[in-house]
Every structure is written in C-alpha cells, then in structure tokens.
Amino acid sequence: MTRAKEDAKPSDSFTWWRRGPVIAASVIGGGVLVGLLAPPVFRTSPATTPVIVRTTARAGQMVSAPQVSFAGVSWRDYHGVLLPYSAGDGPRDTAGDLASGFARSPRGALLAAIHIAVRANVQWGSRVFGPTIERQVTGPDASILLDATRRAYERLRGDRPDGALLSRGYVVLEAFRWQGYSPEAASLDLVSAGPGDSDVTVRAVARFQLQWQDGDWRLLAPPGGTWAGTAAPVDSPDGYVRFPSGGA
C-alpha cells in the first residue's frame, strides 16, 4: 500500500463532497460516488480511470453494456444532490432518509450504486451512513469502512448533536459507464462534478461494484475501508452515458 492510500481517510471525503465531485459509483461512503474522494490526490494525479478495486464474486456471465432507459425516472433533491428515483426499479423504501429496495435489473443496480454510495458518506451524519453501511455494504472491509467513517464523523461534528447533518452537498452526477452486469453482480463507473478552487468545475470518475444478496443490491466495500483508490480525475463526461437533464 502506498503512503497516499495510507493517509486517505473519510475526513478527506468530507472535503471532497463540499468542494468537488463525489461519489461514483463511484461513490462516494466515507465518501463515494460515491464518493466521494480526496481532491488533493485528484488534482495532481495524471490517471484518467479508477483502479479496479476487486473482482466481484459470483459475477457469472456479465453483459458489458446493458441498455438502461431513463423513462419514468424522476430526480429529487437529497441535501443538495439530485438523485434518481424509479417507481419500478427503486428505491422502494426511503424511510428515515435511507434508500433500499432495488430491482434485480441493470437500472436497479445503477440506482442502487448511486443511492448507497451517496448515503454511505460521513457528511449526512451517523443516522444515515451508519445503517447504510451496516445493511447495504458488503465484503471483508465493510466493518473497517464503518469504523473509519464513525471516527471521522466524531472528529467533524464538533458540538452538533450525534447524528446531525454536517452540511449540504455540492455535487452533480453527470454520467456513467458499465464495466459489467449480471443478475448476480454489477460493476460501473460514475462521473460526478462539483466546484473546485477559483470556481473551476472539477470532475472525478469512481468505480463501484455490487452484489445481489438477500433480495437486494449491496455495494462492495473498498479495500482497506477507504474509497481513495477507487476514483480518478476526469476532464469531461465524454465517452460515458450522460444522465438526463434532471441529474446533470
């Protein structure tokens, strides 16, 4: 593990959400989508694609680019971030500021990646990121992600009551691109944009992987419990499937 990855913490993700892109897909819990990730690394790195964090288990025969229609999808404000909702593909349950219940379909997997990655962020408070990571993030590093996000929240909340929102989000979800899909697993990249220094728009692409478990999509936790290795800077959403005007 490089020193940069060792130093990447959820507190970096909080700065990213306030001043730049998420999560993705990326991500993005501790920050994703996503989510999400550490802007100082993005602004100096020449990389243009996120690393592959882990091969999704039980992927089976994956379709490289399943078609996704946005007909009937509405975009609603979530603490400053516009998120997509579908009556048929989810989320079906949004009680308590959470989101679950996604269809076992390409659009369901895409919506799940967005909603889970966004809600796994420290910025929305422990009442949101806690149950999101506990119930909807899977993999060997899920508990590490949860512990790190909790510690970051305690450092950042100051005299706010436990569970309180830290701030609104300033990010736009612009586009996505499939890495692969099957009814058992999915992998995709999400492009997000937000304000950087001197009012310059900065963008990042983050990779998210999902598994179908217990009747719903679950997001695979990043290695080491940090999203820092799953994202990279990107100049534009060209070459990706752009979201309709509701999202971008």
Side-chain angles (χ1 to χ4, degrees):
M1 179 180 293
T2 65
R3 186 63 185 173
K5 288 186 178 180
E6 290 175 346
D7 291 343
K9 297 181 177 64
S11 57
D12 298 323
S13 303
F14 174 62
T15 304
W16 182 239
W17 271 91
R18 292 191 61 187
R19 300 179 59 194
V22 177
I23 288 162
S26 133
V27 302
I28 292 198
V32 209
L33 193 188
V34 302
L36 275 181
L37 309 155
V41 176
F42 290 166
R43 291 179 187 138
T44 58
S45 171
T48 57
T49 56
V51 299
I52 299 175
V53 297
R54 179 182 289 123
T55 300
T56 308
R58 297 183 292 104
Q61 186 64 39
M62 300 184 80
V63 178
S64 60
Q67 294 296 312
V68 172
S69 169
F70 287 94
V73 172
S74 61
W75 294 81
R76 307 175 198 167
D77 177 79
Y78 184 80
H79 303 300
V81 183
L82 285 177
L83 299 181
Y85 294 77
S86 164
D89 290 284
R92 291 185 289 271
D93 187 351
T94 56
D97 225 10
L98 307 176
S100 62
F102 297 93
R104 196 174 191 177
S105 66
R107 189 162 75 172
L110 173 61
L111 297 180
I114 293 172
H115 282 272
I116 297 172
V118 167
R119 285 173 168 81
N121 197 307
V122 66
Q123 186 161 347
W124 320 128
S126 57
R127 294 177 185 175
V128 175
F129 73 72
T132 295
I133 299 175
E134 288 174 345
R135 304 170 192 171
Q136 297 176 279
V137 177
T138 188
D141 295 314
S143 61
I144 300 175
L145 173 64
L146 179 59
D147 290 343
T149 309
R150 282 173 172 164
R151 290 195 300 271
Y153 180 69
E154 288 305 313
R155 292 195 302 270
L156 293 166
R157 72 182 179 95
D159 58 0
R160 300 179 184 87
D162 187 22
L165 179 81
L166 297 182
S167 78
R168 289 178 61 81
Y170 300 93
V171 66
V172 171
L173 306 178
E174 288 193 329
F176 74 99
R177 182 166 62 200
W178 289 106
Q179 294 299 314
Y181 171 84
S182 78
E184 289 75 38
S187 178
L188 58 104
D189 294 341
L190 289 171
V191 177
S192 55
D197 294 334
S198 303
D199 296 324
V200 174
T201 297
V202 291
R203 291 179 174 85
V205 55
R207 181 159 299 173
F208 299 99
Q209 296 180 325
L210 303 100
Q211 293 180 352
W212 182 263
Q213 292 182 356
D214 301 322
D216 208 349
W217 289 107
R218 316 289 172 178
L219 194 66
L220 194 66
T226 174
W227 300 102
T230 68
V234 64
D235 292 332
S236 78
D238 292 347
Y240 295 83
V241 178
R242 294 177 183 251
F243 291 118
S245 57

